[in-house]
Amino acid sequence: MGSILKLDRLSKAFGAVTVADALSYDVQQGEALGVIGPNGAGKTSMFNLITGTLSPNSGKVEFAGQNVTKWNAARRSHAGVARSFQVPQPFSGMTVFENAMIAATQSAGLHGHEAERFCLEVLEQTELLPKANVLAGSLTLLERKRLELTRALCAKPKLLLLDEIAGGLTEGECASLVQTIKDIHASGVTIIWIEHVVHALLEVVDRLIVIDFGKKIAEGEPHAIMNSPEVKEIYLGIEADA
Ligand SMILES: Nc1ncnc2c1ncn2[C@@H]1O[C@H](COP(=O)(O)OP(=O)(O)OP(=O)(O)O)[C@@H](O)[C@H]1O
Ligand SMILES: [Mg+2]
């Protein structure tokens, strides 16, 4: 196995706001890591630091054994880092299939029929095949979440970063999305999943970390972490001794 991602004392501040405070952790190949923390804790910023859209003030990001800290986002994407966005960002005037093709050609470097075949496979996996020729702008919320997943998977990721993909869905929709994510994980993709819908997260992740003010405040077995007093106090706003 071995680690696929290593954050080493990663720090970033926007003026007085610290979004990453000496953040260090490893992600093992094939693992599913969950990330929770209050609004504004720096979770999305952490993804920006991993994908390379944000540069740290100090610290290091290693991916697949290489120091990628100075690599731009395109280079990291080609190397196998893909993400879904908290606010879905499809090309609304293009079809679902065209959106998938952009990721497959630009990020995975596929061409022609090979790219088309691969996109159809991914759309089947993400259950969007029946919507392949529909404009992205006309999709429902669940379908837009599935399109985020499709676009990320079409980049052939080794590491898939999911940013609050379950938010705003009904229970039934959430359950169906969780099943899709479980299948993706079972196919060997390493996942880091930021999520406020904790019950969905707990169905998938092997390990959980908690971030507050850019700092990792807890890390370990998911249920143990959720039941720890400091997480209840800081994350859920419940007094530790209540
Ligand atoms: N480019 C930026 N410039 C200035 N401040 C920023 C920038 N990006 C994020 N921030 C601030 O950094 C803090 C952390 O933001 P971030 O989006 O990483 O939080 P988050 O943990 O993802 O929150 P949420 O759970 O609400 O999605 C917030 O206070 C945010 O306003
Ligand atoms: Mg966020």
Side-chain angles (χ1 to χ4, degrees):
M1 284 294 211
S3 92
I4 187 164
L5 181 79
K6 186 181 176 69
L7 304 191
D8 185 13
R9 286 164 294 147
L10 209 55
S11 292
K12 178 72 183 181
F14 296 111
V17 180
T18 300
V19 293
D21 187 354
L23 198 56
S24 296
Y25 62 83
D26 275 33
V27 182
Q28 301 302 307
Q29 202 117 34
E31 191 182 16
L33 174 70
V35 178
I36 61 169
N39 292 116
K43 305 179 300 296
T44 297
S45 300
M46 178 186 83
F47 273 5
N48 294 339
L49 289 164
I50 296 171
T51 57
T53 56
L54 198 60
S55 299
N57 298 125
S58 61
K60 195 165 76 172
V61 181
E62 272 180 30
F63 176 67
Q66 286 185 284
N67 183 351
V68 302
T69 318
K70 298 244 158 57
W71 292 18
N72 66 21
R75 192 168 171 203
R76 295 189 204 189
S77 157
H78 283 129
V81 181
R83 77 183 297 172
S84 72
F85 285 91
Q86 187 166 350
V87 179
Q89 303 187 341
F91 297 102
S92 305
M94 295 177 136
T95 66
V96 165
F97 184 73
E98 287 164 342
N99 270 274
M101 279 294 280
I102 287 174
T105 52
Q106 294 187 357
S107 301
L110 300 176
H111 303 284
H113 291 310
E114 193 192 358
E116 288 171 8
R117 263 198 307 274
F118 181 62
C119 287
L120 293 175
E121 263 174 45
V122 173
L123 286 168
E124 174 140 43
Q125 187 180 18
T126 57
E127 296 178 23
L128 272 188
L129 205 47
K131 300 283 173 173
N133 295 320
V134 168
L135 289 181
S138 68
L139 296 177
T140 66
L141 179 63
L142 175 62
E143 289 163 351
R144 274 183 280 140
K145 303 267 186 182
R146 289 187 172 282
L147 181 55
E148 277 299 296
L149 210 47
T150 303
R151 278 157 37 104
L153 289 175
C154 282
K156 286 206 171 176
K158 296 189 179 90
L159 174 64
L160 175 63
L161 308 174
L162 303 175
D163 197 350
E164 296 196 29
I165 197 158
L169 300 177
T170 66
E171 281 297 311
E173 289 171 338
C174 184
S176 90
L177 193 65
V178 162
Q179 190 53 53
T180 302
I181 295 168
K182 277 184 178 170
D183 294 343
I184 292 165
H185 181 223
S187 77
V189 179
T190 308
I191 293 175
I192 307 179
W193 184 4
I194 295 170
E195 190 55 71
H196 285 297
V197 185
V198 175
H199 69 87
L201 196 61
L202 294 186
E203 283 195 50
V204 177
V205 301
D206 310 308
R207 188 161 60 103
L208 199 57
I209 67 173
V210 187
I211 291 182
D212 197 16
F213 297 107
K215 223 179 179 52
K216 184 179 76 181
I217 57 157
E219 174 175 24
E221 194 282 319
H223 292 93
I225 293 294
M226 287 314 296
N227 288 321
S228 71
E230 66 266 45
V231 168
K232 284 188 171 165
E233 185 182 354
I234 294 170
Y235 181 62
L236 301 169
I238 296 167
E239 289 295 325
D241 57 355

